[in-house]
């Protein structure tokens, strides 16, 4: 009986999360291979490049953002944005070998992957 209640609760919470957040699998159309995002998301994508470890990696990051994204009229709900320790990033992060080692170490110490990824990217 307890298992039935637990499963029902998990299904209800998962469904409520989809309804409340609106995070369904709908993808916004790409134009010329560029994903549409709103102005705020685009600025976040560009700003997160400042955390890359070297000037070369920062420039490559900004180039990728300009190639892969364009400013559209609405927020893109499929863009994975997250904030930890005052740092907001969106999309997948390209980590250096030392940043990946930091993530592994942080995971071993009990940090979640998403938090470790952001903190190691920003502070290593």
């Amino acid at each position: 009986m307890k298992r039935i209640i637990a499963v029902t609760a998990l299904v209800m919470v998962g469904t409520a999360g989809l309804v409340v957040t609106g995070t369904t699998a709908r993808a916004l159309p790409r134009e010329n291979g560029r994903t549409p995002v709103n102005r705020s998301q685009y600025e976040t994508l560009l700003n997160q490049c400042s955390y890359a470890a070297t000037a070369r990696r920062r420039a490559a990051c900004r180039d990728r953002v300009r190639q892969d994204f364009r400013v559209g009229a609405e927020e893109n709900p499929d863009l994975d944005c997250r904030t930890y320790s005052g740092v907001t990033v969106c999309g997948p992060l390209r980590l250096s070998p030392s940043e990946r080692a930091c993530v592994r170490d942080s995971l071993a110490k009990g940090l979640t992957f998403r938090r470790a990824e952001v903190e190691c990217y920003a502070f290593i």
Side-chain angles (χ1 to χ4, degrees):
M1 184 67 171
K2 289 181 183 178
R3 287 185 184 171
I4 294 171
I5 293 171
V7 169
T8 304
L10 285 173
V11 169
M12 290 176 63
V13 168
T15 304
L18 287 175
V19 171
V20 171
T21 62
T23 53
T24 61
R26 76 179 179 98
L28 297 177
R30 293 172 59 95
E31 179 182 293
N32 296 330
R34 296 168 65 205
T35 302
V37 295
N38 71 8
R39 171 63 61 189
S40 175
Q41 289 173 317
Y42 190 80
E43 292 298 325
T44 297
L45 286 161
L46 282 175
N47 289 339
Q48 76 192 35
C49 293
S50 67
Y51 294 109
T54 65
R56 184 177 179 181
R57 290 187 69 206
R58 287 188 291 274
C61 177
R62 286 188 296 273
D63 289 342
R64 273 192 311 277
V65 169
R66 290 182 186 112
Q67 287 176 342
D68 294 345
F69 299 94
R70 67 176 174 81
V71 176
E74 60 185 69
E75 180 177 334
N76 186 334
D78 295 328
L79 187 63
D80 178 28
C81 295
R82 58 249 185 236
T83 302
Y84 294 101
S85 300
V87 177
T88 301
V89 298
C90 293
L93 299 176
R94 293 189 179 193
L95 302 178
S96 69
S98 62
E99 291 164 343
R100 287 192 297 273
C102 172
V103 170
R104 285 190 299 274
D105 184 55
S106 297
L107 290 173
K109 293 178 180 173
L111 224 56
T112 65
F113 175 78
R114 288 169 61 83
R115 183 177 194 122
E117 180 185 44
V118 171
E119 290 183 358
C120 291
Y121 179 73
F123 302 122
I124 295 298

